[in-house]
Amino acid sequence: MTQLWPWYVSGPLLGLIVPLLLWLGNKDFGISANLRHVCAMWPGKKPAFFQYDWRKETWNLLFALGLLAGGFLAGYLYPGDPVHLNGTVLERIKSWGLDDPQAIVPLKLFATSALASWKVWVYLLLGGFLIGFGARYGGGCTSGHAITGIAALQLPSLVAVVFFFVGGLIGAWWILPGLIAWITGGAG
Amino acid sequence: MRFFFGLAYFLVGVLGGVTLVQSQAASWYRIQEMFQFGAFHMYGMIMSAIVVAMIGVWLLRGKRSLEGPEIKINDKARTWTRYIVGGTIFGLGWALAGACPGPTLALIGAGWPAYLILFAGMILGTWVYGLLREMLPH
């Protein structure tokens, strides 16, 4: 369990989720829809977009709880080795002020102690905001568009994924270096 | 029966959560490596997932699901602005945070509470989209 699962094992396992959900109850694999369901649970006044019976989507919320439990099993009970990165990528990331990987994610950004810095809060809330806003605007995230949508030959999903990468490349090359250096005090 | 299906959806989620962590697809580092074209790992994962999902969809289409409804794929609306603008905004967030919604949940479970803040940001972004939806071009 502690070894890295290679792509040709983990990719097919993730892909298997699509037919499993269809076979169980004709359900579409799409994780970000749960963000909308959480908003729909709000008992007070809310935008029309959230006025529907979220209880009918309980299956997806249970699926999301399963993701949490699966993460617990894999990460908490059987923590893996630190990530071994491509050397060029590692040097670039270190130039932003981050350390050699000691876990699955950088401690300067995601350790609980990192939350002592308000800059880390800005970073996390900004990233989350863009993900939540963009996923609903674009009608899905990686699971719904990149895996399910393309597998079901949906041209809109292919377009969405191409633009996931447009946004991702802009973020990774032009925004992230400065943003991380701003947090760590590194060079960027 | 309802309990059985609830449990089944939960267990499919467990499979997803374990896989996302063990494959390091949930890793901030792997997402940066992907966007910097540093390794094949993430591309291999996404492409092999699509192939398996595609075969599954092809085999199951038109059959009856265990819960009853016929298995069919709903075509997505062909209004392009939302996929271009929304997709770009999502991609920006994906690269900045180094995670998408599924891995975020798996990492909260794996014992990284900072991802709760990221998750709160996602809820906030979803809510603001709901507020502005009528004003946005789709």
Side-chain angles (χ1 to χ4, degrees), chain A residues 32-42 44-55 57 131-141, chain B residues 82 122-136 138:
Chain A
S32 66
N34 286 308
L35 299 168
R36 185 182 177 190
H37 303 330
V38 170
C39 292
M41 285 179 190
W42 179 253
K45 204 168 165 305
K46 58 198 170 194
F49 188 60
F50 303 120
Q51 292 172 13
Y52 59 92
D53 185 9
W54 58 268
R55 288 171 192 84
E57 311 295 334
I131 291 170
F133 186 89
R136 261 327 18 85
Y137 195 173
C141 60
Chain B
R82 66 177 307 173
M122 292 181 198
I123 299 285
L124 192 67
T126 304
W127 185 271
V128 171
Y129 170 75
L131 277 177
L132 303 180
R133 198 170 94 97
E134 305 299 320
M135 287 177 261
L136 297 168
H138 284 75

Side-chain angles (χ1 to χ4, degrees), chain A residues 162-172 175, chain B residues 35 87-93 95:
Chain A
V162 167
F163 283 91
F164 287 176
F165 269 82
V166 170
L169 292 174
I170 294 169
I175 303 174
Chain B
F35 283 124
T88 304
I89 295 171
F90 174 81
L92 268 176

Side-chain angles (χ1 to χ4, degrees), chain A residues 120-171:
Chain A
V120 170
W121 284 75
V122 171
Y123 168 70
L124 294 172
L125 288 171
L126 172 71
F129 185 92
L130 293 170
I131 291 170
F133 186 89
R136 261 327 18 85
Y137 195 173
C141 60
T142 324
S143 52
H145 277 316
I147 299 179
T148 314
I150 293 181
L153 307 175
Q154 297 292 308
L155 186 60
S157 291
L158 184 63
V159 172
V161 174
V162 167
F163 283 91
F164 287 176
F165 269 82
V166 170
L169 292 174
I170 294 169

Side-chain angles (χ1 to χ4, degrees), chain A residues 1 5 23-24 26 66 68 72 86 92 104-106 123-124 128-129 136-137 142 146 154 157 164 173 176, chain B residues 14 22 27-29 32-33 35-36 38 50 66-67 70 72 75-76 82 91 96 100 105 109 115 122 137:
Chain A
M1 281 295 265
W5 292 4
W23 175 63
L24 279 169
N26 187 37
L68 278 170
F72 174 77
N86 166 305
R92 195 176 286 133
I104 191 171
V105 295
Y123 168 70
L124 294 172
F129 185 92
R136 261 327 18 85
Y137 195 173
T142 324
Q154 297 292 308
S157 291
F164 287 176
W173 288 93
L176 195 64
Chain B
V14 172
Q22 291 294 338
S27 167
W28 182 95
Y29 296 110
Q32 304 313 333
E33 192 180 52
F35 283 124
Q36 293 180 25
I50 291 171
L66 292 182
E67 272 198 297
E70 186 190 328
K72 55 172 193 247
D75 286 327
K76 293 189 194 295
R82 66 177 307 173
L96 295 192
C100 47
L105 288 170
Y115 280 88
M122 292 181 198

Side-chain angles (χ1 to χ4, degrees), chain B residues 77-93:
Chain B
R78 295 189 169 221
T79 55
W80 304 104
T81 311
R82 66 177 307 173
Y83 304 114
I84 294 169
V85 182
T88 304
I89 295 171
F90 174 81
L92 268 176

Side-chain angles (χ1 to χ4, degrees), chain A residues 4-5 9 13 15 17 32 46 57 70 77 86-87 93 109 113 116 128 130 137-138 140 176-177 179:
Chain A
L4 171 67
W5 292 4
V9 173
L13 280 175
I17 293 174
S32 66
K46 58 198 170 194
E57 311 295 334
L77 298 181
N86 166 305
I93 286 172
L109 302 177
S113 57
L130 293 170
Y137 195 173
L176 195 64
L179 185 60

